[in-house]
Amino acid sequence: MLLDLVVSVLAAGAWIASALVRNRLLVSFAIAATAARAVTVALLAGSGWWFVQDKVTLTLPLLLAFAVVAMVRRTPTAYLAAGYAALAGPVFTLLHGYPATWTSGLITVALVGGGATLTARVRGATRLRAAAVASATVLMVGVVLSFVAASSTVDPLGTVSLSSLRGPDSPVPGGTVRRFDLTARQATVTLASGATVRAWTFNGQVPGPPLTAAVGDLVEVTLHNADIAGGADGRSASSRGGVTLHWHGYDVPVAEDGVPGLTQDAVAPGESFVYRFRADRAGTYWYHTHEVSNEGVRMGLYGSLVVTGSAPSPAGVDLTLPLHTFNGSTVVGASDVVECRSVVPGTTVRLRLINTDNTPRVVGVVGSPVRVAAVDGTDLNEPDPVEEAGLRIAAGGRYDVTFTMPDRPVALRIAHSSSGLSFLPPGASVAPSADVGSWPVLDLLHYGHPAATPFGAGSRFDRSFTLVLDRGLAGTSYAYTVNGDAFPDVPTEVVRQGDLVRFTIVNRSQDIHPWHLHGHRVLVLSRDGSAPTGSPLWLDTFDVRPGEVWQVAFRADNPGIWMNHCHNLAHADQGMVLHLAYEGVRSDFHGAHGG
Ligand code: C2O
Ligand code: CU
């Protein structure tokens, strides 16, 4: 790639220099660099480089065409034009990226052609009308095409209305109804360290009240909004400010999913909304607002949702600990300092860690081996104890970490943070410490033991989608993009109920993208081509790191229209969002909203 970039720049420089100084050697060098560019592109294509498409279909042919003209005509103008064409390669790759489309292709051709024409004009050439008209026409076609490009988010003709897909209103026989009231309001919260934060809260606290239920229960949450009007970003009519509740990782019926403009309207100050769903799977989840969530979650509109199995859980310490950054310091659970707890040796301790930030967090347990018992709510198969392992939790992800209290102190520590939690046996007062950020990170793809899964890499998939995550020009903004487009221009992925669906997610950018599909958990098939060797991994949020290629699969068994987005909510806000829609379902709301 680097070589390709270098020869492009050399070719551009040599062609332009040839126009300025008369030197046969320079021209030969420009020709050689152009030929070298053809070789580097061929090498990239031959070695399976994912992003060679724009070079093969657009920028290399453009360069070769102008180079041939330059070699035939041997005029300074032709040399300059070849230079522009050579420059178009790296500029296109850096600014636009993969994939080259008709729109971006035509605009590039028009700019190079227009540049050449203009250069000729400046250098005194005449009879350029045809060239000018051609460039302008190509440019216009490209621009017009960009406006007619896919801008659909939902199927307006579906016969099933999304709002009919609500949760049930009774528990399963034997279950109970768990009622909660959450009132969103602004408050000044005093943390354990004495620091105060201006926060957006549920019931005046951060995190919001922990919600718990047992499998079989009906969860009924009434959301009120006292005074959260913020969030209205003024960019779309549907963004009217307010709050919603999204049950992150919990596969509720779509009308309960809390996406403003898609599954409901945001709840404005003075309004309320009732969410109902059955607790049908045990595990650690969380809830958060989805109205301009980048701001709302950061300000404090989040809390935990823990569902326990129907069997009584073994006695022990069971702590739910969302990790959240306020004003640069980490709040673990509800505390921004190291809290101490006294625990009797032999007690089972379970820490339910939830990363509510936009970037991954590394945590570690000092003083005891631990098992990662569950990730994103799903138990891992036969997790082995690990010691001094950095546990890297994706933004939005959850790790359930367990250990048996030894007769010495144990500590939960968080990289780049002075917050944490210490567990002290009776009589002890000092907890161990360590720089857990320097520990080797546990790779979940090689942790635990294999087990049967309902489908796998060898299955026949009814649908396969590829999502290339990048950053670049989309329309008029420099956005976080999916396949070169930003929300709402990323085409909706359409599936049928019952389909087995495969996603290939490729990160072409320099940022980590924690990918999150609403309404479904996905099974990891591979990362960079290698399958997991440990426990099956069912995730709802997974980090696709720069350069990585992930393949995941899921069964389309929850009809609706679902958000599919990056859970770095700042990236989502800048375009990295699309929808997954079931055939036949239509939204009753009219906002093309990314939440
Ligand atoms: Cu926790 Cu759409 O996200
Ligand atoms: Cu991202």
Side-chain angles (χ1 to χ4, degrees):
M1 262 249 313
L2 201 61
L3 200 62
D4 182 62
L5 189 68
V6 169
V7 294
S8 305
V9 172
L10 285 180
W15 282 119
I16 292 171
S18 306
L20 306 178
V21 243
R22 292 222 155 253
N23 184 329
R24 298 190 123 238
L25 219 61
L26 260 177
V27 177
S28 320
F29 185 79
I31 294 170
T34 302
R37 176 95 214 279
V39 173
T40 56
V41 171
L43 284 176
L44 282 170
S47 58
W49 174 242
W50 258 87
F51 307 111
V52 79
Q53 180 253 9
D54 62 321
K55 308 183 201 314
V56 173
T57 62
L58 176 65
T59 57
L60 181 62
L62 194 64
L63 169 60
L64 293 179
F66 276 88
V68 167
V69 172
M71 282 153 66
V72 172
R73 305 198 54 151
R74 299 160 175 260
T75 62
T77 305
Y79 292 154
L80 280 174
Y84 305 157
L87 218 47
V91 169
F92 188 93
T93 296
L94 296 176
L95 274 188
H96 183 83
Y98 173 96
T101 56
W102 277 105
T103 306
S104 52
L106 290 174
I107 292 176
T108 307
V109 170
L111 289 180
V112 173
T117 312
L118 202 66
T119 306
R121 180 80 193 80
V122 167
R123 301 183 62 88
T126 51
R127 286 187 291 141
L128 290 168
R129 177 161 306 162
V133 168
S135 301
T137 311
V138 171
L139 183 67
M140 249 157 57
V141 172
V143 170
V144 167
L145 270 183
S146 80
F147 283 106
V148 300
S151 169
S152 72
T153 53
V154 291
D155 173 5
L157 301 173
T159 50
V160 180
S161 133
L162 189 151
S163 37
S164 68
L165 300 169
R166 296 222 59 171
D169 42 25
S170 62
V172 300
T176 52
V177 182
R178 306 268 181 163
R179 288 208 169 81
F180 302 94
D181 270 280
L182 297 182
T183 300
R185 64 163 180 266
Q186 305 189 28
T188 301
V189 179
T190 307
L191 300 171
S193 67
T196 57
V197 288
R198 278 297 296 160
W200 292 357
T201 72
F202 289 115
N203 300 1
Q205 60 186 87
V206 282
L211 308 187
T212 56
V215 167
D217 290 349
L218 181 82
V219 180
E220 184 184 295
V221 183
T222 306
L223 168 69
H224 311 273
N225 182 0
D227 59 1
I228 306 292
D233 55 9
R235 279 177 301 180
S236 64
S238 66
S239 171
R240 55 192 205 133
V243 279
T244 65
L245 292 176
H246 169 60
W247 312 98
H248 185 115
Y250 221 64
D251 301 338
V252 300
V254 71
E256 315 290 341
D257 198 45
V259 179
L262 181 63
T263 73
Q264 66 173 102
D265 279 326
V267 177
E271 294 181 351
S272 50
F273 189 92
V274 182
Y275 296 88
R276 275 191 209 91
F277 58 90
R278 286 226 181 94
D280 51 7
R281 197 163 69 213
T284 305
Y285 305 91
W286 62 300
Y287 62 87
H288 61 78
T289 185
H290 220 294
E291 171 66 0
V292 193
S293 52
N294 179 37
E295 183 178 19
V297 177
R298 184 163 33 79
M299 291 293 287
L301 291 172
Y302 71 94
S304 61
L305 167 68
V306 170
V307 178
T308 51
S310 35
S313 63
V317 173
D318 190 330
L319 299 173
T320 304
L321 302 169
L323 308 177
H324 193 81
T325 303
F326 281 106
N327 299 341
S329 62
T330 311
V331 174
V332 181
S335 174
D336 63 337
V337 297
V338 176
E339 299 274 347
C340 293
R341 305 197 144 233
S342 122
V343 181
V344 176
T347 309
T348 327
V349 179
R350 186 177 195 104
L351 307 176
R352 301 170 184 268
L353 302 160
I354 307 172
N355 181 358
T356 64
D357 282 339
N358 275 344
T359 48
R361 300 246 41 179
V362 174
V363 306
V365 173
V366 195
S368 169
V370 294
R371 293 173 204 267
V372 179
V375 175
D376 287 4
T378 305
D379 286 348
L380 297 185
N381 186 48
E382 298 171 19
D384 298 309
V386 288
E387 232 165 320
E388 305 213 336
L391 307 176
R392 187 169 58 207
I393 312 173
R398 287 88 58 212
Y399 273 35
D400 284 23
V401 176
T402 61
F403 63 92
T404 305
M405 185 65 193
D407 52 11
R408 349 168 269 284
V410 173
L412 168 72
R413 292 286 177 264
I414 294 140
H416 312 297
S417 157
S418 54
S419 318
L421 205 53
S422 299
F423 305 90
L424 305 174
S429 60
V430 185
S433 202
D435 174 15
V436 299
S438 68
W439 288 355
V441 169
L442 178 70
D443 186 352
L444 290 181
L445 265 75
H446 307 297
Y447 180 64
H449 295 270
T453 51
F455 45 82
S459 299
R460 209 190 58 77
F461 294 95
D462 303 298
R463 318 260 167 166
S464 295
F465 298 101
T466 299
L467 302 175
V468 174
L469 312 180
D470 202 354
R471 191 159 196 206
L473 283 180
T476 51
S477 58
Y478 191 60
Y480 285 93
T481 58
V482 180
N483 296 340
D485 287 318
F487 187 84
D489 296 328
V490 189
T492 295
E493 300 165 328
V494 179
V495 299
R496 267 208 193 111
Q497 184 154 12
D499 278 353
L500 191 58
V501 185
R502 181 176 62 191
F503 280 177
T504 302
I505 305 183
V506 189
N507 186 347
R508 187 187 179 270
S509 74
Q510 305 295 319
D511 305 273
I512 299 171
H513 299 298
W515 203 253
H516 175 54
L517 170 65
H518 286 206
H520 309 74
R521 53 178 188 161
V522 302
L523 177 70
V524 176
L525 302 178
S526 66
R527 182 188 59 208
D528 294 340
S530 23
T533 58
S535 167
L537 268 183
W538 293 92
L539 305 176
D540 54 62
T541 322
F542 49 95
D543 274 337
V544 184
R545 306 176 72 79
E548 283 184 350
V549 180
W550 285 64
Q551 280 203 323
V552 301
F554 63 94
R555 178 71 69 186
D557 56 4
N558 195 5
I561 303 169
W562 301 98
M563 293 273 283
N564 189 18
H565 67 96
C566 177
H567 216 281
N568 182 322
L569 299 172
H571 297 179
D573 189 52
Q574 291 169 63
M576 205 170 253
V577 171
L578 71 157
H579 287 151
L580 173 90
Y582 283 58
E583 260 178 30
V585 179
R586 92 184 123 75
S587 169
D588 317 270
F589 300 89
H590 302 291
H593 205 280

